[in-house]
Amino acid sequence: MKKRLVSILLTVAMCMGLAVPAVAVEIRPEAQKENVTITECDILGKTAVMEQHIVDREIDYVKITCGTEIAERIGNEIFLNGEKVATIVELEERNIDAQNIEPRTGWLDVENCPYGTKSEYNKLYSSQYRNLALEKKISELTVEGLSYILMTYCGVAGVCLRIAQEIISVAVDSKYEEYKTLYLYERIYSHKTLGQFYRMVDLDYYFDKNYTEFACNDYFYRVWA
């Protein structure tokens, strides 16, 4: 299957005269149509294809196909091979920089730092609390299965795999393996000088609703696409 590299921000950089390096991502040719984005990634040595469908500038439907496994997010409900496995519950959201809010669909999630260094992403843009209500106990989930669930709202496979591995590793043989809810505290930081183009998303997962029983932390980046 032929892939082509699509340069992100190249046109913007040329027009504005900024010293912004272009970022490339592999996007399937059939995705070059309005309201649908199709990308490929690797998870546990297998190729996964992610479709994101956009309605009214919001991601309304996500489908991840990896071999015979199919994960879907319809609204806030997540399904694995047709069976409902989780629900995302949105809680308090705080927009620190409320004057510069862009639609979620304008951003591309990437694992590696696209510009500068991690320490340069130091301007808090927004914060969000949300629950991931699981249909099964954590002990009944595999690393691969939990990875697919996480990928439906965080499209970076490597990050989701690490989070799934850590959560299951911490939960095994403890009281947490009986739990059916994960609690997420998400913070988005802007780059100190080019925050309109580059962001970092910092994720803290907890086992309790008071956010005191820490599970793991990870992060990824967003590039304005």
Side-chain angles (χ1 to χ4, degrees), residues 17 29 52 55 60 72 74 96 104-105 161 165-166 173 181 188 204 217:
Q52 292 180 320
V55 176
D60 184 68
E72 298 171 283
I74 304 173
I96 310 301
R104 166 67 182 86
T105 53
L161 179 60
Q165 289 172 327
E166 188 68 17
D173 295 328
T181 303
I188 300 178
D204 285 341
N217 165 270

Side-chain angles (χ1 to χ4, degrees), residues 1-8 23-29 31-32 37-42 47-50 108 110:
M1 175 181 58
K2 183 177 180 181
K3 301 176 182 177
R4 66 174 180 164
L5 296 177
V6 179
S7 295
I8 309 297
V23 178
V25 61
E26 294 181 343
I27 300 180
R28 288 172 37 153
Q32 306 306 307
T37 300
I38 303 177
T39 57
E40 290 187 352
C41 58
D42 179 87
T47 299
V49 178
M50 174 182 289
L108 176 70
V110 296

Side-chain angles (χ1 to χ4, degrees), residues 52-115:
Q52 292 180 320
H53 294 248
I54 301 163
V55 176
D56 295 331
R57 298 187 301 175
E58 294 291 334
I59 297 176
D60 184 68
Y61 173 73
V62 178
K63 180 179 180 181
I64 300 166
T65 304
C66 187
T68 59
E69 302 290 338
I70 298 176
E72 298 171 283
R73 175 164 67 82
I74 304 173
N76 281 348
E77 295 186 328
I78 302 172
F79 299 82
L80 186 59
N81 299 323
E83 178 184 357
K84 183 180 176 181
V85 291
T87 302
I88 302 170
V89 181
E90 304 287 350
L91 300 174
E92 176 187 351
E93 180 176 10
R94 184 183 178 198
N95 290 305
I96 310 301
D97 190 1
Q99 295 181 344
N100 296 293
I101 301 176
E102 299 90 354
R104 166 67 182 86
T105 53
W107 295 90
L108 176 70
D109 294 347
V110 296
E111 183 170 1
N112 298 319
C113 185
Y115 182 76

Side-chain angles (χ1 to χ4, degrees), residues 3 13 18 38 69 71 123 132 144 167:
K3 301 176 182 177
L18 296 173
I38 303 177
E69 302 290 338
K123 291 186 176 181
L132 183 61
E144 185 174 7
I167 287 174

Side-chain angles (χ1 to χ4, degrees), residues 157-218:
V159 172
C160 294
L161 179 60
R162 288 196 299 270
I163 292 173
Q165 289 172 327
E166 188 68 17
I167 287 174
I168 290 179
S169 174
V170 173
V172 68
D173 295 328
S174 75
K175 63 180 182 180
Y176 303 129
E177 65 180 6
E178 299 296 309
Y179 288 16
K180 296 177 66 176
T181 303
L182 294 171
Y183 301 86
L184 171 63
Y185 179 38
E186 174 187 284
R187 297 167 308 286
I188 300 178
Y189 293 92
S190 301
H191 185 270
K192 65 179 182 180
T193 57
L194 292 175
Q196 67 270 44
F197 298 132
Y198 301 107
R199 303 273 167 83
M200 181 181 72
V201 182
D202 198 18
L203 307 170
D204 285 341
Y205 281 87
Y206 294 84
F207 290 113
D208 70 310
K209 64 181 180 181
N210 295 319
Y211 296 87
T212 59
E213 299 179 50
F214 181 74
C216 66
N217 165 270
D218 215 312

